[in-house]
């Protein structure tokens, strides 16, 4: 016979074992093309997890049900990855003159411990709180654009790039670089300094495509965001101009192209992507709509390319490299606070159309896909205003220069706009500065829906 204290000890040991089994670890990656809103999203997500309340996050079940006990910031455990600067970013949002965090160039991450009371099923036996370890990783979506390069050799990639450079809208800006690169390729001798100069000019050209033409489909991704690779020999290549040949220069460029594929592209997938469990892909659709038809079509092309990283079943490429384990991907149109509430469903429908065809293979690969429209930080107040004798939905907010304004930002097309849309539509969706006196938990739109999709099933 066991005495009561032994029984208690055994019961405690069983509970501890069960609880250890429930303590979980999730690596949540957040990506998106340049300026999509990654830094603001992670800052807000962290702030919601640290300071959110049931009233503030009504659609996040563990909060709404009163089982959420709180979160704690932990030291960033990865020795080679910079810490995500949550506190600095928050301080900027909450400063006397609030502003957005500066643009980020590479990967960073932070770790949180989330404590909650388990609720259903077997977890109901556990009376003690359980901890979910959450790592949030920020990385540039441009790096995912390079996946397509893995399937190509240097000649094939160059042919693809030559075609793009010769077409509108790139052709005019590219003309001078193409002329010099064609002359250099034609003479065939490899010169380290000249190669480096042309590679750097190619990188500058890609930056110009982005800045002047609003383009997104830009390869190689590290030419835009080289980080610690700036000036490294692995970036000393560019697309061949002319017919492929057997010259020393062609062979040299082809060699560096292969090094880039294995040392940069594959390494990112192996060292970082392989360990991610869940993924958020953020899209700033309004920037492309504001810019031009060419920018919008290029965004669609770039997103289709980015999404290939999640189509494991189809390409098989990543499955050959490692065992991918991402089981949920959330696509979110950001900055919904720049629209009046009546326009937000149109934005959801538009992003659905933008990425729709690329979603099927992802679902087929067994990944749960969500599509949302949200604002990490809500900068505006929605209301009604009078314009030309009509009552219309309007927004109140602070422009980047600090002016308080009331605006009628206009309609968002609910589906892919026709070619004449940009001639007809004189709209502009202005950017807003964070409001004065912003406190934690940060005002948001539908961040609780995003949390429910990303973590709800892990916090039952
Ligand atoms: N109104 C509004 N604007 C936002 C929001 N999130 C981001 N923005 C705007 O978008 C800009 C870019 O946001 P970031 O969070 O820095 O985007 P990012 O993807 O980290 O940008 P990079 O690091 O440059 O790639 C900000 O400077 C703001 O102007 C939001 O929730 N609401
Ligand atoms: Mg950033």
């Amino acid at each position: 016979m066991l005495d009561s204290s032994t029984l208690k000890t055994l019961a405690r040991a069983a509970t501890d074992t069960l609880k250890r089994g429930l303590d979980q670890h999730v690596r949540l990656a957040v990506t998106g093309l340049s300026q999509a809103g990654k830094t603001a999203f992670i800052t807000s997500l962290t702030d919601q997890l640290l300071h959110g309340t049931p009233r503030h996050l009504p659609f996040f079940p563990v909060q709404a049900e009163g089982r959420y006990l709180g979160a704690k910031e932990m030291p960033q455990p990865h020795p080679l990855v910079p810490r995500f600067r949550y506190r600095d970013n928050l301080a900027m949002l909450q400063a006397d003159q609030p502003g957005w965090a500066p643009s980020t160039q590479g990967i960073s991450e932070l770790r949180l411990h989330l404590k909650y009371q388990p609720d259903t099923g077997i977890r109901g036996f556990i009376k003690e709180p359980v901890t979910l370890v959450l790592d949030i990783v920020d990385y540039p979506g441009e790096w995912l654009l390079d996946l397509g390069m893995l399937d190509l050799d240097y000649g094939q990639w160059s042919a693809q790039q030559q075609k793009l450079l010769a077409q509108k809208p790139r052709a005019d800006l590219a003309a001078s670089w193409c002329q010099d690169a064609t002359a250099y390729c034609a003479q065939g001798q490899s010169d380290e300094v000249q190669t480096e100069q042309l590679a750097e000019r190619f990188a500058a050209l890609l930056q110009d495509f982005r800045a002047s033409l609003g383009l997104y489909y830009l390869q190689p991704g590290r030419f835009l965001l080289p980080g610690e690779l700036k000036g490294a020999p692995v970036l000393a290549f560019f697309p061949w101009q002319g017919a492929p040949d057997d010259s020393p220069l062609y062979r040299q460029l082809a060699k560096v192209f292969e090094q880039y594929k294995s040392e940069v592209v594959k390494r990112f997938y192996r060292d970082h992507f392989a360990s991610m469990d869940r993924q958020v892909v953020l899209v700033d659709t309004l920037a492309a709509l504001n810019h031009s038809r060419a920018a919008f079509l290029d965004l669609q092309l770039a997103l289709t390319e980015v999404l290939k990283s999640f189509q494991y079943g189809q390409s098989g490429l990543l499955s050959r490299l490692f065992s991918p384990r991402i089981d949920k991907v959330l696509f979110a149109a950001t900055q919904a606070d720049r629209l009046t509430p009546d326009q937000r469903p149109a934005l959801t429908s538009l992003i659905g159309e933008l990425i729709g065809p690329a979603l099927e293979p992802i679902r087929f690969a067994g990944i749960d896909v969500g599509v949302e429209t949200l604002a990490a930080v809500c900068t505006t107040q929605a209301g009604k205003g009078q314009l030309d004798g009509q009552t219309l939905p309007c927004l109140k907010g602070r422009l980047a220069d600090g002016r308080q304004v009331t605006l009628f930002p206009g309609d968002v097309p609910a589906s892919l706009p026709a070619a004449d849309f940009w001639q007809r539509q004189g709209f502009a969706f202005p950017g807003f500065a964070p409001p004065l006196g912003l406190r934690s938990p940060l005002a948001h739109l539908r961040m609780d829906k995003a949390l429910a999709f990303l973590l709800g099933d892990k916090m039952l």
Side-chain angles (χ1 to χ4, degrees):
M1 277 291 276
L2 297 173
D3 62 28
S4 72
S5 93
T6 314
L7 276 175
K8 266 191 197 147
T9 311
L10 281 177
R12 167 154 292 281
T15 308
D16 282 353
T17 311
L18 198 55
K19 185 170 161 308
R20 267 200 302 279
L22 291 180
D23 284 343
Q24 294 184 82
H25 187 171
V26 174
R27 279 180 71 76
L28 172 67
V30 178
T31 197
L33 298 168
S34 165
Q35 293 285 288
K38 304 177 286 293
T39 302
F41 179 87
I42 298 177
T43 303
S44 174
L45 196 84
T46 305
D47 198 63
Q48 311 303 338
L49 290 169
L50 286 171
H51 305 294
T53 61
R55 198 173 57 82
H56 190 80
L57 300 167
F59 290 107
F60 186 28
V62 68
Q63 269 284 13
E65 292 159 13
R67 295 187 290 107
Y68 189 73
L69 303 175
K72 196 166 169 217
E73 285 175 85
M74 302 305 286
Q76 201 287 95
H78 208 302
L80 298 178
V81 176
R83 187 167 49 82
F84 179 86
R85 300 193 162 272
Y86 159 68
R87 283 167 188 255
D88 297 349
N89 301 337
L90 187 70
M92 291 197 69
L93 290 171
Q94 297 182 336
D96 291 343
Q97 283 302 314
W100 298 102
S103 173
T104 41
Q105 301 293 310
I107 191 161
S108 63
E109 70 177 73
L110 96 168
R111 172 168 285 188
L112 295 175
H113 279 183
L114 313 182
K115 238 182 200 175
Y116 66 100
Q117 195 64 54
D119 188 27
T120 55
I122 195 166
R123 291 159 197 260
F125 291 109
I126 313 272
K127 297 289 171 254
E128 286 169 46
V130 175
T131 303
L132 175 68
V133 179
L134 178 66
D135 290 332
I136 311 179
V137 186
D138 174 0
Y139 72 92
E142 279 75 4
W143 293 359
L144 298 182
L145 287 178
D146 285 350
L147 179 72
M149 294 170 80
L150 295 182
D151 261 345
L152 306 174
D153 65 23
Y154 178 60
Q156 293 167 321
W157 179 71
S158 296
Q160 229 180 44
Q161 294 296 316
Q162 277 178 29
K163 207 168 139 198
L164 277 175
L165 292 171
Q167 282 170 359
K168 270 184 177 291
R170 290 169 171 78
D172 288 349
L173 281 180
S176 149
W177 181 88
C178 286
Q179 197 179 15
D180 294 350
T182 306
Y184 182 50
C185 292
Q187 58 80 31
Q189 290 311 308
S190 170
D191 174 88
E192 196 180 352
V193 175
Q194 275 202 61
T195 302
E196 242 175 55
Q197 280 172 353
L198 275 167
E200 277 168 18
R201 280 180 58 200
F202 187 66
L205 187 61
L206 295 180
Q207 301 278 10
D208 207 8
F209 287 157
R210 183 158 78 183
S212 311
L213 305 176
L215 300 187
Y216 300 89
Y217 183 56
L218 304 166
Q219 258 178 4
R222 294 294 174 129
F223 278 38
L224 291 160
L225 297 158
E228 76 284 8
L229 293 178
K230 195 166 172 50
V234 75
L235 300 190
F237 72 100
F238 51 82
W240 186 257
Q241 300 297 297
D245 59 30
D246 196 29
S247 64
L249 178 59
Y250 186 90
R251 278 184 272 132
Q252 167 65 17
L253 294 176
K255 188 178 97 189
V256 180
F257 176 79
E258 290 303 325
Q259 282 171 346
Y260 180 85
K261 278 165 54 179
S262 64
E263 297 302 319
V264 179
V265 185
K266 282 189 189 167
R267 189 178 286 265
F268 165 70
Y269 281 97
R270 244 188 341 247
D271 293 356
H272 298 290
F273 197 83
S275 66
M276 291 163 187
D277 300 303
R278 300 207 160 165
Q279 175 73 57
V280 181
V281 180
L282 300 174
V283 185
D284 176 8
T285 321
L286 299 181
L289 274 178
N290 268 344
H291 201 286
S292 59
R293 175 175 155 78
F296 196 80
L297 293 178
D298 208 65
L299 173 64
Q300 189 172 28
L301 185 67
L303 286 174
T304 307
E305 221 33 53
V306 161
L307 297 195
K308 287 187 181 153
S309 287
F310 308 106
Q311 299 167 353
Y312 311 139
Q314 198 190 45
S315 75
L317 192 74
L318 291 181
S319 308
R320 284 203 302 277
L321 277 178
F322 57 85
S323 304
R325 58 186 218 198
I326 292 175
D327 63 351
K328 274 181 180 255
V329 182
L330 176 69
F331 297 96
T334 56
Q335 310 181 22
D337 58 316
R338 291 165 64 189
L339 303 174
T340 48
D342 58 307
Q343 292 302 314
R344 290 172 196 157
L347 188 61
T348 312
S349 143
L350 183 63
I351 186 179
E353 259 200 57
L354 205 59
I355 55 174
L359 293 187
E360 279 321 305
I362 301 181
R363 291 201 172 103
F364 190 74
I367 297 178
D368 189 6
V369 175
V371 179
E372 259 303 344
T373 296
L374 51 80
V377 182
C378 185
T379 62
T380 58
Q381 281 181 317
K384 297 260 187 236
Q386 292 288 322
L387 185 70
D388 301 333
Q390 276 184 296
T391 306
L392 294 173
C394 69
L395 291 178
K396 281 186 186 162
R398 221 165 57 90
L399 294 179
D401 61 11
R403 264 182 310 140
Q404 285 286 350
V405 288
T406 300
L407 290 165
F408 302 87
D411 293 349
V412 174
S415 57
L416 300 184
D420 64 346
F421 171 82
W422 279 269
Q423 278 109 53
R424 278 189 287 115
Q425 184 87 19
F427 66 51
F429 299 103
F432 288 97
L436 297 170
L438 194 59
R439 290 285 149 255
S440 292
L442 296 172
H444 68 90
L445 294 175
R446 298 175 75 86
M447 287 296 284
D448 48 349
K449 289 265 186 190
L451 278 166
F453 178 78
L454 294 167
L455 298 179
D457 62 325
K458 297 281 180 189
M459 300 181 83
L460 293 174

